[in-house]
Amino acid sequence: MQLRYSFRLYPSTGQRTALAKAFGCARVVYNDALRARETARSEGMPFPKTGDLSRLLITEAKNTPERAWLGEVSAVILQQSLRDLDAAYRNFFDGLKGKRPRMGAPRYKSKRDTRQAVRFTTNARWSITPGQKLRLPKIGDLKVKWSRTLPSTPSTVTVVKDAAGRYFASFVVETDASEVLPETTPELGIGLGLRHFAALSDGTKVDSPRFLRRAEKRLKKAQRALSRKEKGSNNRSKARVKVARAHARVADARHGFHHQLSTKLIRENQAVAVEDLCVKGLARTRLAKSVHDAGWSAFVDMLEYKAARYGRSFIRIGRFEPTSQVCSGCGVKNGPKPLSVRVWTCGACGAVLDRDINAAVNVAKAAGLAVTACGAQVRPGLVPAPRSEAGTHPKRPTRLVCEQAGIPGL
C-alpha cells in the first residue's frame, strides 16, 4: 500500500522566494488549462487533451513575453499541475455517475488560497543529500526536520505551504507486508460520541479532549485583533497569520490525539468495528461545532488504513443499525431514546445499561465479532420475585390468608 509521510521544512529567504515563484507558475498553468477547457465547452468545441494543453500552455507559452517566466521553474511541476486538473475533472464526472460522492466542478485557484502546493516526481531528479537535506531543482537544498525514517525510497514529494506560513515536504512511499503485527485475541467494537470521544465494548471510555472548545478564548482574541486591522495593511497580514497559527495548533493537537488512539486500538486488537455515522447530517444541527471538534471521520479513516497496514480486520457497520435501542444482554429492542438519556433499564431482563458502552457492544455484535456484553451492564437490575417466594415481607398476614391457612383469627 502507499503511505504519505510529512516533514517540516525550513527554507531560507531565497528559497521562500523560489517556492513562491513555483507556486505561482503552477497556479497560472492550472488556471490557463481550466480556462481553455471551459471556453471549449461553452463554444461547443471538443474537450482539449492534456498533451495539447501541455504543448500550448507550457512549451509554446515559454517563448512568449507574457509567459516567459514559466521557464524559471521546473517543467515537472507544471506538468503535474495539468494532471491535477485532470484528476479534478475525473472526480467531478465520477461523482455525477455515482461512482464516488458528488463534488463540485473544478474552480480557479487564487494566490490568496490558504494552501499552496507543488509536486515533484522522479523525472524532476530531486534527491535527499548526504547531509539529510531535500534538494529540489531550481529551488536548492532545503533543511528538513526528520522525525522518523522513511520505510522505502519515495516516488514523489509534494511541497506544501499552509495558511500559517509553514512549509512541509510530503513523501509518497510504498510499503510491503513486513509491518504486519502478530495475531492477537481481543476484538473490539467502538461507539463514537461527544461527551466521551469513544466508548469501547470492553467497558472503557475515552474522554473527549475538546481541543477547539478549550482554545476558543485564545481564538476569539486573535480573531478580534484581526477584525480591527485595516484591510490591505501589513498589520492585517500579520494578524491573519496569528489566527491561522492558532487554528493550526488546535488541528495538530487533534491530529496527534487521533493518531495515538487509533494506533493503540489497532495494535491491541485483532478486529475493530465502528459505526458509519452521518457526519454531514450531524454537522447541520446545533451540535455542528462539537461534531467538527471531535473529528470522527479522520479518526475512522486512520483506523481503516492502519488496520490494512498492520494486518488487522476493520469492519464498518451500517448507520441505520439500532445500536442504542437494543439491549446487549437479551437483544430486546426498547425503542429510540433522547440524547439526554445516558443510562436506561431494559424492560425485558431488567439490566441497567450504559448507553455508550451498550452501543459499542452492539456494534461489535453487528459486525460478527466475538465480544461479550459484560461491559455494557452497569449494575444488575431488580428482578421481581416469584409469587411462591413473596411471603418474606414482615407485614402481618391478612384475615383471609389466616383463615385459608387454618391460623386462628386475628
Side-chain angles (χ1 to χ4, degrees):
M1 63 183 301
Q2 289 185 337
L3 295 177
R4 187 176 292 276
Y5 287 77
S6 294
F7 302 92
R8 183 76 180 270
L9 292 178
Y10 294 92
S12 62
T13 303
Q15 291 170 347
R16 288 173 183 264
T17 303
L19 286 173
K21 189 178 299 183
F23 294 146
C25 291
R27 183 178 62 250
V28 167
V29 171
Y30 183 95
N31 291 340
D32 288 346
L34 178 58
R35 188 179 299 107
R37 287 182 170 174
E38 289 299 313
T39 302
R41 182 187 62 84
S42 61
E43 296 178 356
M45 302 293 292
F47 196 74
K49 297 182 180 180
T50 304
D52 298 335
L53 292 176
S54 176
R55 176 180 51 80
L56 179 64
L57 302 178
I58 298 178
T59 306
E60 296 180 1
K62 292 179 181 180
N63 299 324
T64 62
E66 295 82 7
R67 293 287 189 268
W69 35 265
L70 291 177
E72 299 177 6
V73 300
S74 174
V76 173
I77 64 175
L78 305 181
Q79 297 289 345
Q80 294 301 314
S81 183
L82 295 179
R83 290 188 175 89
D84 290 341
L85 180 61
D86 288 341
Y89 270 109
R90 185 167 55 252
N91 293 337
F92 171 63
F93 291 129
D94 288 346
L96 296 179
K97 297 176 183 177
K99 297 181 180 179
R100 56 165 296 148
R102 299 193 64 170
M103 59 186 309
R107 296 182 297 181
Y108 292 101
K109 293 184 178 182
S110 171
K111 64 179 181 180
R112 296 179 180 83
D113 289 343
T114 57
R115 184 181 184 275
Q116 304 284 343
V118 290
R119 186 167 64 256
F120 296 86
T121 59
T122 309
N123 297 335
R125 297 182 180 180
W126 62 272
S127 62
I128 299 175
T129 65
Q132 297 300 306
K133 289 188 176 182
L134 178 62
R135 179 169 296 171
L136 298 177
K138 298 189 178 182
I139 294 178
D141 296 350
L142 283 75
K143 181 181 177 182
V144 186
K145 181 66 175 179
W146 299 102
S147 57
R148 49 189 168 173
T149 305
L150 293 173
S152 62
T153 303
S155 58
T156 64
V157 58
T158 304
V159 179
V160 181
K161 180 185 178 183
D162 64 1
R166 303 177 300 177
Y167 293 84
F168 295 91
S170 180
F171 298 92
V172 176
V173 299
E174 294 280 349
T175 59
D176 51 15
S178 60
E179 295 183 332
V180 175
L181 297 174
E183 293 189 6
T184 184
T185 304
E187 297 178 337
L188 195 67
I190 303 175
L192 301 175
L194 295 178
R195 181 169 300 182
H196 293 89
F197 177 78
L200 311 181
S201 58
D202 60 0
T204 306
K205 286 187 176 182
V206 180
D207 292 333
S208 179
R210 300 182 180 180
F211 296 105
L212 180 62
R213 296 289 185 180
R214 286 159 45 187
E216 275 186 331
K217 185 176 181 180
R218 182 172 64 251
L219 291 172
K220 287 180 180 179
K221 183 178 179 180
Q223 188 65 48
R224 190 182 301 117
L226 172 63
S227 64
R228 293 171 177 171
K229 300 296 186 294
E230 183 180 356
K231 292 185 177 180
S233 64
N234 291 333
N235 286 336
R236 186 177 179 86
S237 300
K238 296 177 183 178
R240 185 200 60 78
V241 173
K242 288 183 178 180
V243 173
R245 287 177 178 174
H247 280 285
R249 281 193 292 268
V250 174
D252 291 344
R254 185 187 300 114
H255 195 67
F257 168 75
H258 288 165
H259 267 300
Q260 293 178 6
L261 181 59
S262 59
T263 301
K264 180 177 181 295
L265 296 179
I266 290 298
R267 288 185 179 275
E268 296 178 354
N269 300 275
Q270 183 62 33
V272 173
V274 296
E275 186 176 7
D276 184 19
L277 298 174
C278 183
V279 179
K280 288 186 178 180
L282 292 172
R284 291 193 292 265
T285 66
R286 59 185 178 87
L287 303 174
K289 182 180 290 188
S290 297
V291 169
H292 288 305
D293 191 12
W296 293 329
S297 297
F299 175 71
V300 173
D301 290 342
M302 289 181 185
L303 285 176
E304 187 172 8
Y305 90 79
K306 289 180 181 180
R309 178 183 180 184
Y310 296 116
R312 302 304 198 200
S313 298
F314 176 82
I315 306 169
R316 194 194 299 258
I317 69 169
R319 64 183 59 172
F320 299 108
E321 192 73 24
T323 55
S324 61
Q325 304 179 22
V326 177
C327 173
S328 58
C330 62
V332 175
K333 186 176 180 179
N334 286 266
K337 303 164 188 64
L339 292 177
S340 59
V341 178
R342 310 313 305 174
V343 179
W344 56 282
T345 304
C346 177
C349 65
V352 181
L353 305 168
D354 182 279
R355 180 193 184 104
D356 299 329
I357 300 179
N358 176 75
V361 174
N362 287 329
V363 167
K365 288 186 174 183
L369 303 183
V371 179
T372 60
C374 60
Q377 186 166 317
V378 178
R379 58 185 180 274
L382 298 177
V383 181
R387 294 184 62 85
S388 60
E389 300 178 2
T392 58
H393 200 278
K395 286 186 177 181
R396 297 182 63 184
T398 62
R399 183 183 301 274
L400 178 60
V401 173
C402 292
E403 291 178 353
Q404 293 177 351
I407 301 175
L410 299 177

